[in-house]
């Protein structure tokens, strides 16, 4: 089970810190090596992870969803033919065997079928219900879902097939392996709302997807591929699932193998406790140092030159320092604090170096008061044209003293040192693959 969150922004087949396409490819190779049936001839390469993710994105297209499983099969076949044509016209791209052995599996799950899957047997008693102080009606989950989403018989919302044919469930079949995308949570405009409101339920297609895996596909196990999915966060008991907890209901008796980053034990505990996950931790990518890019690197050189002779370089370099700082966006991280204690944005056009006083902007319709001297000591007053402009803005000049600039330059230089040495994850981890010598 791969992820596609947030939906509609090209996130299909991604996970935090994990290279999903490459990892999926290595997993399929490993499964075949262990004797699992992938439906491929001896010596045939497993499908490319990138091709599989591209096919899954095609299945997630809104027009395909509306057309149901038949449209999904056509979409994958169209993609296969397009890749073969691309390979024949461009010898540098070998796509002639793209999606070999890959088919579409799924169903348009009708409202009637979904209700049956969500209804408990009439014969259930206290033993089967688990630790709850009452025996609910057998259709309690159906009732809750309809209270949240409306009648299942007429529901035509998220991931439903045109013509009232029910919920869309589709994925890729490779021998005995099914690869699908976990349904979106489904609360438009507030995708996290479902996680915090107990009265909500997963939308019908979300439930249909997992129930189809349980009852129709009859999966021997489900693997959630990377950090992280949503089924373990669905409404229900926070401590100790009952049969009314949606994570328990949708996972059922399927073993849940959960690939999770080793540096996030707190959330993986949720996957274990509420999703019954068997956690397979993967390493995080090697860390690298951020370094400095063009503007920040040039800025550090200017600051180093200034620090060699502050008095001599103040007038020569201050404007360039402020301009580079502004263009790199560092003025938000390390703001210059003016004489009034407020952060101000300074450039070579707005700065006035020591002993040069220039008026702040004229207020609407007001007269500027006080003496304003230029470098030569001449008085500057607004002309009639300025007054006629009324509310039009003028550039605010900022007085910069040598001492203030020296303190700012020191702060900038220190910040660039921190920025340069900041650690970040360099690349993405490939499950089952060791990092390269360079990365290690």
């Amino acid at each position: 089970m791969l992820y596609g969150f947030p939906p509609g922004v090209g996130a299909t087949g991604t996970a935090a810190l994990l290279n999903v396409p490459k990892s999926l490819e290595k997993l399929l190779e490993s499964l075949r090596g262990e004797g699992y049936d992938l439906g491929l001839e001896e010596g045939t390469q497993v499908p490319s992870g990138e091709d599989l993710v591209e096919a899954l994105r095609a299945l997630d297209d809104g027009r395909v969803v509306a057309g149901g499983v038949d449209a999904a099969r056509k979409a994958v076949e169209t993609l296969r033919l397009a890749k073969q044509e691309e390979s024949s016209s461009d010898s540098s791209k070998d796509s002639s065997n793209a999606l070999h052995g890959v088919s579409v599996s799924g169903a348009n799950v009708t409202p009637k079928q979904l209700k049956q899957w969500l209804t408990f047997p009439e014969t259930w008693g206290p033993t089967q219900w688990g630790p709850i102080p009452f025996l609910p009606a057998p259709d309690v989950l159906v009732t809750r879902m309809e209270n949240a989403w409306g009648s299942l018989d007429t529901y035509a919302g998220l991931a439903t097939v045109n013509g009232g044919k029910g919920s869309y469930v589709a994925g890729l079949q490779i021998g005995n392996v099914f690869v699908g995308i976990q349904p979106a949570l489904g609360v438009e405009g507030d995708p996290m709302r479902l996680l915090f409101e107990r009265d909500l339920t997963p939308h019908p297609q979300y439930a249909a997807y997992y129930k189809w895996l349980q009852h129709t596909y009859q999966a021997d196990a489900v693997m959630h591929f990377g950090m992280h999915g949503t089924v373990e966060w669905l409404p229900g008991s926070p401590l100790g699932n009952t049969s009314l907890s949606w994570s328990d209901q949708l996972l059922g008796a399927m073993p849940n193998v959960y690939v999770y980053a080793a540096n996030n034990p707190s959330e993986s505990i949720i996957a274990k406790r509420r999703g019954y996950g068997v956690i397979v931790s993967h390493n995080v990518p090697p860390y690298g140092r951020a370094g400095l890019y063009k503007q920040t690197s040039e800025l550090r050189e200017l600051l180093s030159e200034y620090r060699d002779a502050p008095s001599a370089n103040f007038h020569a370099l201050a404007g360039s320092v402020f301009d580079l700082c502004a263009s790199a966006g560092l003025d938000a991280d390390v703001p210059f604090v003016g004489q009034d204690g407020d952060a101000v944005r300074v450039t070579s056009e707005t700065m006035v170096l020591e002993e040069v006083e220039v008026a702040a902007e004229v207020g609407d319709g007001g007269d500027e008061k006080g003496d304003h001297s230029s470098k030569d000591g001449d008085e500057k007053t607004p002309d009639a044209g300025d007054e006629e402009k009324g509310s039009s803005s003028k550039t605010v000049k900022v007085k910069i003293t040598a001492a203030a600039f020296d303190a700012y330059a020191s702060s900038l230089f220190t910040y660039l040192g921190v920025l340069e040495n900041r650690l970040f994850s360099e690349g993405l981890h490939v499950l089952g693959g060791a990092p390269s010598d360079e990365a290690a």
Side-chain angles (χ1 to χ4, degrees):
M1 188 75 76
L2 309 187
Y3 313 128
F5 184 85
V9 294
T12 300
T14 61
L17 306 178
L18 187 66
N19 185 327
V20 173
K22 287 288 185 186
S23 299
L24 179 60
E25 202 171 312
K26 279 200 167 285
L27 174 66
L28 293 174
E29 291 171 352
S30 178
L31 288 173
R32 183 164 68 172
E34 293 291 329
Y36 286 85
D37 180 13
L38 298 187
L40 300 173
E41 299 86 357
E42 189 70 28
T44 304
Q45 287 186 338
V46 300
S48 156
E50 293 288 352
D51 287 344
L52 292 174
V53 169
E54 188 176 354
L56 288 169
R57 288 175 180 159
L59 296 185
D60 220 22
D61 182 87
R63 292 167 296 182
V64 174
V65 172
V69 174
D70 290 340
R73 293 191 176 100
K74 291 178 182 176
V76 169
E77 188 57 32
T78 300
L79 178 62
R80 191 198 324 271
L81 294 174
K83 286 191 167 294
Q84 290 173 357
E85 282 185 21
E86 182 182 34
S87 179
S88 62
S89 61
D90 187 350
S91 58
S92 65
K93 297 181 179 179
D94 183 14
S95 304
S96 58
N97 206 29
L99 300 175
H100 176 71
V102 178
S103 60
V104 172
S105 185
N108 303 325
V109 178
T110 65
K112 180 180 179 181
Q113 180 65 79
L114 181 57
K115 287 181 181 180
Q116 289 176 355
W117 285 340
L118 291 176
T119 300
F120 295 103
E122 295 279 357
T123 56
W124 267 33
T127 302
Q128 292 88 347
W129 279 107
I132 56 178
F134 61 94
L135 296 185
D139 63 349
V140 58
L141 294 178
V142 175
T143 301
R144 290 182 179 181
M145 183 173 284
E146 291 190 326
N147 286 340
W149 300 94
S151 171
L152 295 184
D153 293 323
T154 58
Y155 178 75
L158 291 155
T160 52
V161 183
N162 287 345
K165 295 180 180 178
S167 297
Y168 172 76
V169 175
L172 303 177
Q173 183 92 28
I174 312 163
N176 288 341
V177 177
F178 175 87
V179 183
I181 296 294
Q182 187 176 61
L185 281 179
V187 181
E188 294 183 17
D190 189 2
M192 304 303 287
R193 179 180 160 209
L194 180 62
L195 308 184
F196 305 106
E197 291 198 20
R198 292 189 177 185
D199 292 339
L200 283 175
T201 74
H203 58 84
Q205 188 259 352
Y206 195 115
Y209 207 108
Y210 276 92
K211 284 297 185 180
W212 179 86
L213 287 174
Q214 288 182 45
H215 297 286
T216 302
Y217 188 76
Q218 296 183 343
D220 296 312
V222 60
M223 173 181 280
H224 287 90
F225 213 75
M227 185 174 72
H228 58 70
T230 54
V231 67
E232 67 269 23
W233 301 89
L234 295 176
S237 300
L239 294 172
N241 282 338
T242 72
S243 55
L244 299 181
S245 297
W246 284 99
S247 52
D248 177 279
Q249 185 59 222
L250 299 188
L251 289 167
M254 294 186 296
N256 180 17
V257 181
Y258 216 131
V259 178
Y260 226 92
N263 67 343
N264 192 2
S266 57
E267 290 188 325
S268 68
I269 291 297
I270 303 296
K272 287 173 66 72
R273 189 180 74 212
R274 299 200 72 242
Y276 311 131
V278 177
I279 304 299
V280 177
S281 297
H282 68 79
N283 205 357
V284 296
Y287 283 103
R289 298 195 182 278
L292 298 178
Y293 54 90
K294 290 182 179 179
Q295 291 164 308
T296 51
S297 179
E298 187 179 345
L299 180 59
R300 184 178 61 177
E301 291 178 7
L302 282 177
L303 290 172
S304 297
E305 184 180 348
Y306 164 78
R307 286 159 64 91
D308 288 340
S311 299
N313 291 327
F314 170 49
H315 284 84
L317 298 180
S320 299
V321 168
F322 281 121
D323 286 344
L324 272 176
C325 187
S327 63
L330 292 180
D331 53 345
D333 298 331
V334 189
F336 181 83
V337 179
Q339 293 177 334
D340 58 358
D342 293 333
V344 290
R345 192 171 193 268
V346 184
T347 66
S348 58
E349 295 181 353
T350 62
M351 72 176 190
V352 179
L353 299 183
E354 199 157 28
E355 293 152 8
V356 179
E357 291 185 14
V358 180
E361 68 179 340
V362 181
D364 293 352
D367 292 329
E368 211 172 339
K369 297 180 180 180
D371 293 334
H372 307 287
S373 301
S374 68
K375 198 168 184 179
D376 297 325
D378 296 329
E379 273 193 12
K380 286 183 66 85
T381 57
D383 58 28
D386 288 335
E387 290 184 0
E388 289 174 1
K389 291 177 183 177
S391 61
S392 63
S393 61
K394 293 175 63 181
T395 302
V396 178
K397 298 293 184 178
V398 182
K399 181 179 179 181
I400 310 293
T401 65
F405 181 77
D406 190 67
Y408 183 63
S410 179
S411 298
L412 266 180
F413 194 82
T414 301
Y415 180 78
L416 288 175
V418 173
L419 185 66
E420 182 180 17
N421 291 289
R422 185 166 291 168
L423 296 176
F424 73 104
S425 295
E426 196 167 33
L428 297 171
H429 181 72
V430 177
L431 190 67
S436 65
D437 292 338
E438 291 181 359

